[in-house]
Every structure is written in structure tokens, then in C-alpha cells.
Amino acid sequence: VLVATGGTTRSGTVTFNVTPGANPALTLDPVSLSIEAAATSSPVVVSIGTATTVDTIVGIESSNPQIARSPAAVTIAAGQTSTTFQVSGIAAGDAAFMLTAGGFSSASLAVTVTPRISTDPIVESVDPTTRANTLGVFTMTIAGSRLARANAIQFTEHGNYNQRWWLQKAAAALT
């Protein structure tokens, strides 16, 4: 705002240098994340601060798409201040995502993709480790996050029953 004061009218030339202010910034929440390979992150929020009267298209570029990927762009609808997107982990490693939109300062998202941890059940131990042609009890400990009902199963050998049948029956119960 320019204000002239004084009692006399004068003429002359005034030169103004107009410097643009800083662009409003894109902001992210979170600004970094860690996900497993073959998994998808929880939503990442990208915001522009003040709603605009037109859609704002935000471009998203991964520094290493062999490690992590996202949509190429998301749209913040007119009248809104934010939207979300998700990142997919492809392989273990690090990637940076650069987000850009016309009239806004860019934002970056740091992503670490960790190796996928196996969730498949595995046999950890069998006690006793050998039992040849005898009746009795043995305990097999099975671990893995896909186990819904137990982490140990006790099998009892009964006379002429085929031991393999018991193992197949137990495996079916865990799926």
C-alpha cells in the first residue's frame, strides 16, 4: 500500500522494484516413512495451506522407482487444502520423492524400504527329535505370523495311523 501525504502537489517519477514473495509451500505428513518390500504405506497427506479456486495438480517423482513407487500425480480439488497418496515398496533400499505443483515450493518425502519379513509358518523344533516305531507324544513348535490359533501343536501317534496323515491334518488346520 502506497500513501502520499503533504499539502503540495508535485510531479515526478517514482520507480518501484517489485520482488515476488516466496511461493507457498507444499507440505507433507509424514516427511519420511519406512515400509516393507511388497507392501503399501499408510496414506501420506500433501497440503497446500490455503484452498484455491481451481484444482491443484501435484506431480510426484521417485528418485528410484525400482525401490519405491507412487502415483505420478495427485489432485487437490478446488476448495480443498489437501489430498492423500500411498507409496508402494518394491525392493529394499532408499528412495526420495519430489512433489511439485505450479505456484508452490516443492516438498520431498524420504522413503526406506526394508526387506520383506516372511510370515510363512516354519517348524522351529520337534521334541523328541527321533521316535522310531514307538507310540507316544512329541511336540512340534511352529512359528509365523500367519498362525491364527496356535504356536505349538501336539501330535499323538495312534497304533497303525499314518504319521503323515496327522501332519497333513495339522497343516490344514493352520491355513
Side-chain angles (χ1 to χ4, degrees), residues 37-106:
T40 302
S41 74
S42 55
V44 176
V45 179
V46 57
S47 302
I48 57 174
T50 303
T52 61
T53 58
V54 296
D55 289 351
T56 302
I57 298 171
V58 180
I60 308 170
E61 186 175 347
S62 174
S63 66
N64 197 340
Q66 294 78 20
I67 299 295
R69 295 183 187 145
S70 71
V74 292
T75 300
I76 300 174
Q80 300 298 309
T81 59
S82 66
T83 192
T84 63
F85 67 95
Q86 291 179 295
V87 175
S88 297
I90 306 302
D94 294 318
F97 285 80
M98 183 62 64
L99 285 79
T100 57
F104 293 89
S105 296
S106 61

Side-chain angles (χ1 to χ4, degrees), residues 112-160:
T112 298
V113 179
T114 58
R116 182 171 182 256
I117 298 170
S118 175
T119 58
D120 296 332
I122 59 167
V123 175
E124 287 187 340
S125 65
V126 178
D127 182 36
T129 56
T130 61
R131 185 171 294 280
N133 298 320
T134 61
L135 297 177
V137 175
F138 71 95
T139 301
M140 177 185 295
T141 304
I142 302 172
S145 63
R146 289 189 185 165
L147 297 173
R149 291 176 268 237
N151 64 1
I153 301 172
Q154 186 170 338
F155 300 91
T156 304
E157 300 172 13
H158 293 280
N160 293 328

